[in-house]
Amino acid sequence: MRALKIIFIGVMMMALTHCARQPRAAKQPHKLTIHGDTRIDNYYWLRERDNPRVTKYLEAENAYRERVMRRTKDFESGLFEEMKSRIKQDDASVPVKRDDYWYYVRFEEGAEYPIFCRKKGSLQDKEEVLLDVNDLAKGHDFCRVRGFKTSPDHRIVSFAV
């Protein structure tokens, strides 16, 4: 019975030690009032991207994640590669006809982002690339295009980046 208590205490100490190393964001109440409704956001300070304290906290979170997830690194890599192998790299959406144009989105093998295209007349006609997000993303870590639309007369394209 005594040995069981010692084991239990040892396990609890290890758990507490492990939890103690987990970073905790400091609570700093910040009052937000919108439309007459006031609420407190204790973590509003984390929005300050240039604050060295925020950077230090996020680096500690990332280091903690690396430490905790270290055992699953090989599994994560294998799972990612398997998922990637099941996705068709050079895929395209089903073309949608609007007036005399066929609009579609396609992906090229080895490229990360979509290419917005259209063909006038028939699907056998020459392709017109309206927006290649891969070109737009050059020099950036990440790029997302939303709300891609063409004007009713098909002369103007709009989108959000």
Side-chain angles (χ1 to χ4, degrees), residues 52-63:
R53 205 166 134 232
V54 172
T55 305
K56 184 178 177 184
Y57 171 73
L58 292 176
E59 287 170 351
E61 280 280 350
N62 289 338

Side-chain angles (χ1 to χ4, degrees), residues 17-76:
T17 303
H18 182 70
C19 290
R21 288 184 291 184
Q22 180 178 355
R24 301 266 187 233
K27 289 185 178 182
Q28 292 182 339
H30 180 84
K31 198 181 284 191
L32 296 167
T33 303
I34 300 172
H35 305 297
D37 182 43
T38 301
R39 67 182 178 89
I40 304 297
D41 183 349
N42 290 322
Y43 305 101
Y44 190 83
W45 66 275
L46 289 170
R47 296 169 51 106
E48 300 169 10
R49 293 174 183 236
D50 296 328
N51 183 338
R53 205 166 134 232
V54 172
T55 305
K56 184 178 177 184
Y57 171 73
L58 292 176
E59 287 170 351
E61 280 280 350
N62 289 338
Y64 175 75
R65 186 232 177 252
E66 287 295 321
R67 203 169 46 247
V68 170
M69 300 299 289
R70 188 177 306 135
R71 295 176 303 204
T72 64
K73 200 168 198 78
D74 290 340
F75 175 73
E76 286 177 32

Side-chain angles (χ1 to χ4, degrees), residues 74-104:
D74 290 340
F75 175 73
E76 286 177 32
S77 297
L79 185 60
F80 176 73
E81 290 304 320
E82 182 178 339
M83 288 173 21
K84 206 166 77 171
S85 73
R86 294 172 185 255
I87 297 172
K88 189 175 177 187
Q89 295 277 318
D90 57 347
D91 204 5
S93 68
V94 175
V96 175
K97 189 166 179 20
R98 278 193 39 233
D99 299 328
D100 202 24
Y101 289 93
W102 288 94
Y103 288 92
Y104 58 96

Side-chain angles (χ1 to χ4, degrees), residues 86-95 104-111 113-117 127:
R86 294 172 185 255
I87 297 172
K88 189 175 177 187
Q89 295 277 318
D90 57 347
D91 204 5
S93 68
V94 175
Y104 58 96
V105 179
R106 66 178 175 83
F107 291 84
E108 291 180 346
E109 191 162 343
Y113 298 105
I115 302 168
F116 294 85
C117 306
E127 176 182 83

